[in-house]
Amino acid sequence: MKQGKLFVFSAPSGSGKTTLVRHLLSQEIPLGFSISATSRKLRGTEIEGTDYHFLSLSEFKQKISENAFVEYEEVYAGVFYGTLKSEIERLWNEGKHVLFDIDVKGGLRIKDQYPEQTLALFIQPPSKKDLELRLRGRGTETEEAIQTRLDRAEEELSFAPKFDAVIVNDDLEKAKNEVVQQVQAFINS
Ligand code: ADP
Ligand code: 5GP
């Protein structure tokens, strides 16, 4: 199996990671999305096996005991998210580089395990107020889930300096161009 590159996108929920990752996947670049496993419930227009592998908590714990994850985190109390080893292998076997939309700790763990191959990008909202407006504007979470995400954002923002680059997602078109340019440069490096 030829190993490709790994592109980690991390940021507080609501910063625009998903929007930027979808933009990258629409480009003529051989990239594939690492479909994480999660024990949270399916949300809005999400599709099982496309956005996430939705597992029950006991199924998730079973996979932990089988050592099936490259990394996993209890991102919110009682809610697990993780990257399956089989996902990276699947995409590399298809000749693709891998995109990850994962939390800051998981992202840095990928970088630790594949230091040469990984470009870790931190997507930063222009301000905490913008983050809140975007989370509310998305309209996919309950008020409680929005608060949980905002409470977590503070700690996540403090991880930005550990990443290879920080992309401020203010003007969306500018941020889209910046991620495409960073990804292409790293593939060609
Ligand atoms: P994340 O994946 O980081 O949780 P999303 O990509 O779902 O974030 O973006 C959160 C919300 O903010 C979405 O409704 C999205 O359309 C919107 N959004 C993303 N980028 C921008 C931007 N640069 N300016 C304004 N709104 C944005
Ligand atoms: P959401 O519930 O909004 O889809 O995701 C919540 C958080 O979990 C986000 O910060 C997202 O990046 C993170 N996340 C998604 N998949 C993974 C994963 O496989 N591993 C880790 N560590 N975090 C993940």
Side-chain angles (χ1 to χ4, degrees):
M1 170 181 59
K2 187 180 174 295
Q3 299 193 341
K5 300 263 163 77
L6 304 175
F7 294 97
V8 166
F9 284 78
S10 295
S13 181
S15 305
K17 284 184 308 289
T18 309
T19 306
L20 293 172
V21 164
R22 286 195 180 142
H23 175 68
L24 272 166
L25 291 169
S26 74
Q27 304 294 295
E28 297 284 313
I29 307 174
L31 290 167
F33 181 66
S34 166
I35 302 161
S36 295
T38 181
S39 69
R40 87 148 157 75
K41 296 258 180 323
L42 194 141
R43 171 173 87 199
T45 58
E46 288 176 334
I47 299 167
E48 154 61 32
T50 299
D51 296 284
Y52 283 106
H53 298 292
F54 293 95
L55 305 179
S56 68
L57 190 55
S58 65
E59 286 169 333
F60 199 104
K61 288 188 171 163
Q62 175 69 25
K63 294 226 178 273
I64 296 174
S65 69
E66 290 165 359
N67 201 21
F69 291 108
V70 190
E71 63 75 35
Y72 70 89
E73 286 285 327
E74 187 173 357
V75 174
Y76 307 108
V79 188
F80 288 79
Y81 294 80
T83 305
L84 294 161
K85 290 177 184 167
S86 56
E87 269 301 293
I88 298 183
E89 283 157 17
R90 175 179 72 83
L91 293 164
W92 278 350
N93 280 331
E94 289 176 11
K96 291 177 178 163
H97 306 289
V98 186
L99 282 188
F100 301 89
D101 173 347
I102 66 180
D103 94 309
V104 290
K105 290 182 187 157
L108 294 173
R109 206 160 292 142
I110 301 262
K111 175 93 189 163
D112 277 348
Q113 292 186 50
Y114 299 96
E116 302 297 321
Q117 282 146 290
T118 305
L119 181 71
L121 299 176
F122 188 92
I123 310 303
Q124 190 163 300
S127 68
K128 278 195 273 174
K129 191 70 208 160
D130 284 291
L131 186 67
E132 184 171 349
L133 286 173
R134 285 181 195 176
L135 273 176
R136 291 192 192 287
R138 189 166 69 185
T140 48
E141 272 88 11
T142 60
E143 179 58 30
E144 192 190 349
I146 290 173
Q147 277 312 323
T148 309
R149 281 163 168 69
L150 291 175
D151 290 346
R152 195 179 149 79
E154 191 84 42
E155 192 204 347
E156 288 172 320
L157 287 167
S158 73
F159 280 79
K162 297 187 196 294
F163 280 71
D164 295 318
V166 174
I167 290 166
V168 179
N169 180 18
D170 187 357
D171 177 338
L172 183 56
E173 288 311 308
K174 231 175 112 194
K176 282 180 178 172
N177 290 337
E178 207 178 329
V179 292
V180 169
Q181 193 257 320
Q182 289 261 7
V183 165
Q184 277 173 333
F186 193 67
I187 289 174
N188 295 329
S189 67

